[in-house]
């Protein structure tokens, strides 16, 4: 696309009215048009930034970030997205705050939201908890707005939960769209979402789940590969199956990395913890059984160690489509002899794909900004047009 | 009020010139007109935000927040107020900073204030210290400005000290003004500021002190109730007495929650620590006597436990005016069988008042913004008018 | 100077084109014209702020701060500089972030920089590491920009490394320029950069190194004084010698504070750790030898204790030029009987110079802002002119 009008025309062909004043929890809760709208706005915002057109649509307002797990990328992506639109980020650090002091979610959600236009939450540690918590927060501020307590309804953006990692999966997808020259070209492509060995334990399931839940939307042949016992949530597999049927693609499961890589156009080798184990950990955590958690961790690390052969090697890469499938990763990756002895990928493979990997990550701030934009404006096309007419410069000139 | 001009007209009838380029420490250091000006600007700013008129008056500038106690509400209220006016919040985390490294207050105050337009401090832990510390900071930056070191004099806003919690009390009062349809309607209303049981220890005195020090300004009948030995600072009681005399209201003390609740229009049941004990703790802290502090805490918790009957029950609420007094709390409250077994209030009472309680809290960001606004502009009426004429939108449209 | 045009005219006489889209690591990597340009822009920005002219040149964009050592001053100076130009500060707290999780510098640098216009780093703890780390970060984002990952090249500003503390030294120099009425008046002035006793251990070498590396540029007679064994990095001494030769000044070393103070126009008494010891500490740290570090610390404190007589006393001050040399310090100072029993300076001396000391510090935010400004705009003169014409107000009026 060459002009802003091209993006606007694209948007005019889509129906996304339900996104207005709404949240973004899971990609499979959104229609194809709605996802397309997110991609289009993300590209439009990037286009404007590249052309030094200010996309500041908020003169004031807060973007609240609530992270229950360490994060560099997602934290900075959210901060970047907010900043791009004019929102100031305010972290709700549960250490500093009184959330720790037995305060109800409903109350805190309202107390921090008097001037909040968006709330971004990362809560991926415990099965059955993260997404539920986000809904609790969203319901609370929706009610607060209805009751006249909050003058606006803060949009909730899921920055990674126990079920999905929508901002990651959407950024990955936008990367593919650009690499393959359009979403239509993804049809029939083979994607290998495969488990890979990592010396660490308990990596979230939300990435593989997000990928199979989203990539099956585009008529791709999605293969989920993992050693026995490393299953993801069954309900997400159901989503993937249904998506594939609808989109004319396919969703298959194998227990061999080699089989998954064979003739793949795209590979996504990544460690995650077995769903069952994560569920068990959640229960142990609930019971405050730290000994049990330690034992489980030990057990899982031993189980992991049996699968060190699950690594993205040059040899395996050779077996992919023309020997040059596109390698994806949400980063940081466990790289052999770099971040660890044995890991998810060989250094030479990773190095060869560094630039595309970084590009992949670069879409996330725009994806998040697009989700906010679509929730805040009933007619985003008109807003984009007016921003172009306003012709404010991001950097003064 | 319906138009911005109504707020401007109101301001034109008030004398608040002393607030220009000045600080806000204690409500009783301000005249009735000055408090009225804060309420009026707070309402005006909220009116403008509700009408999507940008109140951004700073293109750049910092709002420094210095919290010596955990805080969600006040932290976010201050951040929201700063953001509403265009100031970027910068936390002075004494952990991160060199304040911990034996640096003088005067020096730090200047070093952080080169671009600071406001400094908000919460320091309520030690009797005789918090308010004094705020004055030290204020004197330092006032001098720094006079010496040509600082190009502006940062306004100090007391976000809670050992004596008063002005932003809380003012927000509570503005809530009452709106609930009762005008400050004039507060005359003759009975307010019960009463102690209530909490399983925790050492809650600040600044809330009850702030309430009796402010509500006695409006001709209300203020009753302070607490078990024997739970007195607040005597000098604040003197302030309340003098206020009541001047305003034609009353200030009385009782040792019975029931007596306080009887026919009350407004009830504010809240735990606090005995003044004498807090003074003792401050001294023990000064001597670094941690054993002594532990012993004191144990003693106080035992003393507290004798007063579990001091709880805001449905039964007590029935005895209030028409059985429906307005229930206030600064939040978070200790709710029976919710945040603790026995607490300050029964869950059914708290639930019934949740919406008004959240509204009560929602005034705080506007109160803080109004305090800043009145300190920064010699003629706020003119500024409000010009902002309306500028017609900048908070959210682009 | 009286009008903005005066600053613009000054800039027109200087050649600083290499600063555009470039970093600031060490003052001696910059030409005299380039340093002059920094001073001139810093003064121009201060002039505009004093005249309530907004210097906001960024509508959006992030300023990333990465501190590997505690800091109040530098942290707030960087935040103030970013805010003055319109950038929002985002701290990369390595505790919170995944840098701690074995992530490569190159990757993190790109992941945090998608919307970053500047990165400020303080990393002064380990000899041979800090400056090298900054270059790694700079190379990474420069490459990221070239590869189309980052839409802009973030400017790196050295907020203190193991070799130099350019923002401090430049702020100190600008203070001297104003105190002595022009850089030309610094010629022939005697500066005593001398070691002073502190009860603490391991203070960075970057301040004395920065001072001898910069002040020798202006034709001053720079004397470095320290007890035997407290040498600074030899390569920096070489720089100072070369500078002095070129500028017609001098650089001499003595082992007597008295000799250094004699007839000095400017004195800078400050504690630092011996270079050799810091190098040793770095190696011990690399080997993870905490016992060795403790032993070294003990040894150094003992060594320090032998030099308590190295203190800036009234008596010594009397021996300076007319008994009133200008006293400089980067702050915080170790003040006798204030911050410690025996320290770097007598309380009465420090008190007499408090106002100039605070002024000295007040230049730092403007110096940092000027470094950013010169890197972001190819023709800063034109930008200054346009800002004056835009006539935006920092505070609404």
């Amino acid at each position: 696309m060459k002009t802003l009008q091209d993006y606007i025309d694209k948007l005019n062909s889509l129906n996304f009215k339900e996104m207005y004043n709404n949240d973004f929890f899971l990609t499979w809760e959104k229609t194809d048009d709605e996802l397309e709208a997110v991609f289009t706005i993300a590209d439009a915002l990037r286009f404007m930034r590249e052309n030094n057109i200010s996309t500041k649509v908020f003169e004031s307002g807060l973007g609240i970030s609530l992270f229950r797990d360490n994060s560099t990328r997602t934290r900075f992506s959210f901060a970047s997205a907010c900043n791009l639109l004019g929102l100031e980020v305010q972290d709700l650090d549960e250490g500093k705050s009184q959330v720790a002091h037995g305060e109800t979610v409903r109350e805190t959600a309202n107390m921090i939201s008097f001037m909040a236009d968006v709330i971004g939450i990362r809560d991926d540690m415990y099965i059955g908890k993260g997404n539920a918590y986000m809904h609790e927060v969203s319901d609370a501020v929706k009610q607060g707005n209805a009751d006249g307590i909050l003058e606006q309804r803060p949009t909730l953006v899921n920055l990674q939960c126990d079920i999905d990692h929508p901002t990651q999966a959407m950024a990955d997808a936008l990367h593919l769209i650009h690499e393959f020259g359009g979403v239509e070209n993804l049809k029939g492509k083979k994607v290998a979402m495969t488990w890979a060995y990592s010396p660490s334990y308990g990596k979230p399931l939300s990435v593989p789940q997000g990928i199979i839940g989203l990539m099956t939307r585009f008529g791709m042949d999605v293969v989920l590969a993992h050693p026995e016992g490393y299953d993801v949530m069954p309900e997400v597999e159901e989503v993937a199956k249904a998506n594939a049927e609808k989109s004319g693609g396919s969703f298959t499961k194998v227990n061999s990395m080699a089989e998954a890589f064979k003739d793949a156009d795209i590979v996504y080798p990544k460690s995650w913890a077995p769903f069952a184990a994560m569920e068990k950990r959640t229960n142990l955590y609930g019971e405050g059984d730290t000994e049990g958690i330690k034992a489980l961790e030990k057990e899982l690390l031993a189980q992991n160690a049996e699968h060190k052969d699950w690594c993205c090697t040059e040899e395996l890469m050779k077996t992919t489509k023309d020997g040059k499938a596109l390698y994806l990763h949400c980063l940081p990756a466990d790289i052999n002899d770099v971040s660890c002895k044995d890991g998810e990928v060989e250094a030479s493979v990773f190095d060869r794909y560094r630039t595309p990997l970084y590009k992949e990550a670069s879409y996330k701030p725009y994806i998040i900004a697009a989700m906010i934009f679509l929730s805040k404006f009933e007619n985003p096309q008109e807003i984009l047009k007016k921003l172009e007419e306003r012709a404010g410069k991001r950097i003064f000139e």
Side-chain angles (χ1 to χ4, degrees), chain A residues 195 197 227 257 304-313 316 343:
Chain A
W195 189 87
Y197 171 76
M257 200 169 190
N304 271 4
E306 291 166 23
H307 305 295
K308 290 192 177 175
D309 54 319
W310 286 68
C311 177
C312 179
T313 60
L316 269 174

Side-chain angles (χ1 to χ4, degrees), chain A residues 45 49 55-56 58 63 65 67 72-91 118 159 361-370 372 394:
Chain A
L45 292 173
R49 192 171 196 281
T55 54
K56 186 172 184 177
F58 295 95
S65 74
F67 285 76
T72 306
R73 276 154 198 65
T74 306
R75 181 181 293 276
F76 274 76
S77 292
F78 181 71
S80 299
C82 287
N83 175 263
L84 184 68
L85 301 178
L87 297 173
E88 185 179 353
V89 172
Q90 192 67 17
D91 289 328
V118 58
L159 297 176
S362 75
Y363 291 105
K364 199 186 276 182
Y366 296 100
I367 288 289
I368 296 170
I372 300 170
R394 185 187 83 82

Side-chain angles (χ1 to χ4, degrees), chain A residues 149-207:
Chain A
I149 293 155
L150 307 179
E151 281 142 23
Q152 70 294 324
R153 174 186 168 188
T155 303
L156 196 135
V157 175
N158 172 2
L159 297 176
Q160 187 168 5
C161 71
D162 50 318
I163 304 173
D164 193 8
H165 192 344
T167 62
Q168 180 66 48
M170 291 288 285
D172 297 339
L174 188 52
H175 176 56
L176 293 182
I177 289 167
H178 284 278
E179 288 288 325
F180 289 87
V183 68
E184 59 282 4
N185 299 338
L186 299 183
K187 210 157 191 42
K189 294 286 184 298
K190 180 181 179 182
V191 190
M193 178 72 238
T194 110
W195 189 87
Y197 171 76
S198 158
S200 83
Y201 136 87
K203 291 202 172 164
L205 291 146
S206 47
V207 170

Side-chain angles (χ1 to χ4, degrees), chain A residues 1 4 6-20 23-24 27 30-46 170-171 173-174 177-178 183 214 217-218 363 365-381 384:
Chain A
M1 298 190 178
L4 191 63
D6 299 321
Y7 300 99
I8 293 169
D9 294 342
K10 175 72 185 171
L11 290 167
N12 286 332
S13 72
L14 302 169
N15 171 9
F16 48 83
K17 58 183 188 309
E18 291 304 315
M19 297 186 88
Y20 177 58
D23 304 315
F24 203 113
T27 60
K30 303 294 182 186
T31 67
D32 293 350
D33 271 17
E34 289 169 348
L35 298 187
E36 189 71 25
V38 173
F39 294 137
T40 308
I41 296 277
D43 281 340
L45 292 173
R46 188 163 196 157
M170 291 288 285
L174 188 52
I177 289 167
H178 284 278
V183 68
L214 179 63
R217 301 285 288 270
F218 310 120
Y363 291 105
Y366 296 100
I367 288 289
I368 296 170
M371 290 172 176
I372 300 170
F373 202 92
L374 281 158
S375 170
K376 292 303 171 184
F377 298 108
E378 193 161 11
N379 186 340
Q381 300 95 306
L384 290 176

Side-chain angles (χ1 to χ4, degrees), chain A residues 344-359:
Chain A
E344 299 169 315
V345 59
E346 281 181 359
S348 61
V349 174
F350 186 87
D351 289 347
R352 191 162 66 253
Y353 288 94
R354 174 175 288 104
T355 299
L357 279 168
Y358 289 4
K359 279 212 176 110

Side-chain angles (χ1 to χ4, degrees), chain A residues 286-343:
Chain A
E287 299 153 10
D289 181 353
T290 47
E291 280 317 302
I293 290 172
K294 277 185 202 149
L296 175 65
E297 176 167 353
K298 209 172 151 199
E299 179 191 311
L300 286 170
L301 288 173
Q303 185 185 349
N304 271 4
E306 291 166 23
H307 305 295
K308 290 192 177 175
D309 54 319
W310 286 68
C311 177
C312 179
T313 60
E314 289 287 7
E315 206 180 313
L316 269 174
M317 286 303 289
K318 284 203 189 68
T319 69
T320 65
K321 185 73 168 301
D322 307 327
K324 45 184 179 21
L326 183 64
Y327 167 83
L328 300 184
H329 198 287
C330 55
L331 302 178
D334 290 312
I335 307 165
N336 295 6
D337 304 313
V338 175
S339 42
C340 54
K341 192 184 167 313
D342 302 298

